[in-house]
Amino acid sequence: EVQLVQSGAEVKKPGESLKISCEGSGYSFSDFWIGWVRQMPGKGLEWMGIIYPGDSNTRINPSFEGQVTMSVDASINTAYLRWSSLKASDTAIYYCARRLRHCGGDCYDPWGQGTLVTVSS
Amino acid sequence: AIQLTQSPSSLSASVGDRVTITCRASQGIYSALAWYQQKPGKSPKLLIFSASTLESGVPSRFRGSGSGTDFTLTITSLQPEDFGTYFCQQFSDYPITFGQGTRLEIK
């Protein structure tokens, strides 16, 4: 079974750093792009960007440029999303998702279960 | 960025009803549109891609149509398990964007 398992919920203070993870299993991790999507409380979905585990090639949404860093360790089938200095407005659920090949573009399935990040003083 | 506008924002329907959700793009996106279902507290699930292609394992009562700027998701006979929020997503151009969502409640 193809699945993505994300790291657990985090509670952080403004200004702190954070790295969350997304581990893939059941498929060749290096061969499929991984996307990251933000969902702020009670809101819709925002595409943050994608990373290719095979060569760490990355495409970031300009709205998130400079705010987060995407990385991957293909040797352990894991993608990461990192913040160097969190803000209260980063409070959200963050999803990773596998980009499918057969849809001809960026459509995603499956999705991880989501990581809730709460930033509060 | 390409904007996607869904309507309605919410709706309530009965089991067996035919339900239609629309998604309008701010510019032409060919057929580069996907639909997702998200249930409360769960992650999104892909239903349809390329505007009208049903993802494997998705019930045939879900149908997608449209091209260019106007798209439709139809549930032909609503089932109790179809509650949740539905999002459209374009993949014609970066950045990828989503519609604001349509919340579907079962009466």
Side-chain angles (χ1 to χ4, degrees):
Chain A
E1 180 196 4
V2 175
Q3 57 177 346
L4 298 173
V5 177
Q6 298 184 231
S7 49
E10 302 274 2
V11 179
K12 292 288 189 179
K13 291 181 166 41
E16 292 186 330
S17 64
L18 174 65
K19 192 177 193 178
I20 62 174
S21 66
C22 168
E23 181 179 359
S25 62
Y27 72 101
S28 179
F29 185 77
S30 295
D31 293 340
F32 291 79
W33 292 79
I34 293 288
W36 288 95
V37 174
R38 182 175 79 175
Q39 188 166 38
M40 299 177 79
K43 301 297 184 183
L45 304 170
E46 300 172 272
W47 181 81
M48 302 175 73
I50 48 173
I51 185 165
Y52 188 66
D55 61 7
S56 295
N57 189 15
T58 304
R59 186 150 202 156
I60 303 282
N61 185 334
S63 297
F64 291 93
E65 202 110 45
Q67 309 304 309
V68 295
T69 303
M70 295 179 190
S71 63
V72 65
D73 186 341
S75 70
I76 56 171
N77 293 350
T78 302
Y80 301 96
L81 187 63
R82 183 180 183 275
W83 294 258
S84 58
S85 181
L86 286 159
K87 301 186 282 284
S89 57
D90 292 318
T91 295
I93 297 173
Y94 293 87
Y95 293 102
C96 63
R98 188 183 74 159
R99 180 181 186 257
L100 292 178
R101 286 181 181 153
H102 63 259
C103 71
D106 282 72
C107 58
Y108 296 95
D109 201 70
W111 294 51
Q113 83 277 21
T115 295
L116 174 62
V117 174
T118 304
V119 184
S120 174
S121 54
Chain B
I2 296 172
Q3 294 181 24
L4 298 179
T5 304
Q6 289 182 233
S7 60
S9 298
S10 64
L11 76 152
S12 180
S14 300
V15 172
D17 282 354
R18 183 182 184 94
V19 170
T20 298
I21 299 168
T22 65
C23 178
R24 175 163 288 175
S26 59
Q27 64 189 72
I29 59 170
Y30 308 99
S31 296
L33 190 96
W35 289 96
Y36 297 84
Q37 176 194 61
Q38 184 179 32
K39 295 192 174 181
K42 300 294 186 183
S43 50
K45 174 189 170 187
L46 178 67
L47 300 174
I48 286 168
F49 60 90
S50 297
S52 60
T53 304
L54 205 63
E55 173 66 346
S56 176
V58 175
S60 60
R61 63 181 180 273
F62 291 94
R63 294 184 187 171
S65 63
S67 67
T69 60
D70 294 301
F71 301 86
T72 298
L73 172 69
T74 300
I75 308 173
T76 56
S77 179
L78 193 66
Q79 298 301 301
E81 62 268 28
D82 296 337
F83 70 93
T85 302
Y86 291 81
F87 294 94
C88 57
Q89 175 232 308
Q90 66 81 19
F91 52 91
S92 174
D93 195 16
Y94 291 111
I96 304 303
T97 49
F98 292 87
Q100 82 279 13
T102 295
R103 179 178 288 184
L104 173 58
E105 172 194 275
I106 310 295
K107 282 183 188 171

